Amino acid sequence: PTSELTVLITGAAGNLAYQLLPMLCSGEVFGPDININLNLLDLEQCNGILKAIKCELEDCGFRLLKEINIGSSAIELFKDVDVARFMGGFPRKPGMERIDLIQINGVIFKYHGQILNTYGKSTCKCLVVANPVNTNCLILQENCPNIPKENFTALTNLGVKRAKNQV
């Protein structure tokens, strides 16, 4: 391997992140010549799950995986990240309106944008997965002026593909 990336995953104890992690560590995502340092962020009550995920990834012996940092401190885990995958957000509960979800996740993504703006690299590439994905991405972007707008992407097409698959 000739280069290295520090990759942040929020919501790292969730099912979506769990599916992504082996692809990141094996070279499927960034290629077979890129070493990976993983920063896995989730809520404090998920630390046991994060520890188990860390052990599992270490046991797999991924050649490209160089370091795994886990925890619930965004300040520590957002430091100098090259790539950030925002997979964590408050889930929509029965009876919740879209505006309720936007208000709750707005607070989370505002905070993450401010922390990323302060501690992340100005070249960081950001992908937002947590719904409402387009709104969360906009809130993140607006609170992170040190990173160019073109470095932010939202998986808005995911909903379209899911709908087509159901049909």
Side-chain angles (χ1 to χ4, degrees), residues 2 5 9 20 22 26 28 31 51 54-55 62 67 77 90-91 93 98 110-111 135 151 153 156 160-161:
T2 56
L5 291 174
I9 306 291
L20 174 65
S26 68
E28 284 183 62
K51 286 176 185 175
K54 179 179 179 178
C55 287
F62 290 109
E67 184 178 355
L77 296 174
F90 191 84
K93 305 278 184 179
R98 183 174 171 84
K110 179 179 180 181
Y111 174 70
T135 305
N151 288 20
T153 302
T156 52
V160 173
K161 291 185 184 248

Side-chain angles (χ1 to χ4, degrees), residues 29-105:
V29 176
F30 297 110
D33 296 327
I34 308 292
N35 286 324
I36 301 293
N37 298 312
L38 276 179
N39 291 356
L40 305 178
L41 176 76
D42 215 310
L43 301 173
E44 190 172 345
Q45 60 262 35
C46 296
N47 279 344
I49 296 168
L50 290 177
K51 286 176 185 175
I53 290 170
K54 179 179 179 178
C55 287
E56 186 175 335
L57 291 172
E58 290 171 342
D59 286 348
C60 288
F62 290 109
R63 176 182 63 86
L64 299 173
L65 182 59
K66 299 305 173 196
E67 184 178 355
I68 306 171
N69 301 297
I70 62 171
S72 56
S73 171
I75 292 173
E76 291 175 22
L77 296 174
F78 280 54
K79 190 173 188 312
D80 295 326
V81 296
D82 297 293
V83 176
R85 299 293 179 251
F86 294 90
M87 304 184 87
F90 191 84
R92 192 169 188 172
K93 305 278 184 179
M96 282 182 76
E97 297 294 328
R98 183 174 171 84
I99 189 67
D100 300 325
L101 190 62
I102 290 171
Q103 288 173 341
I104 295 168
N105 279 320

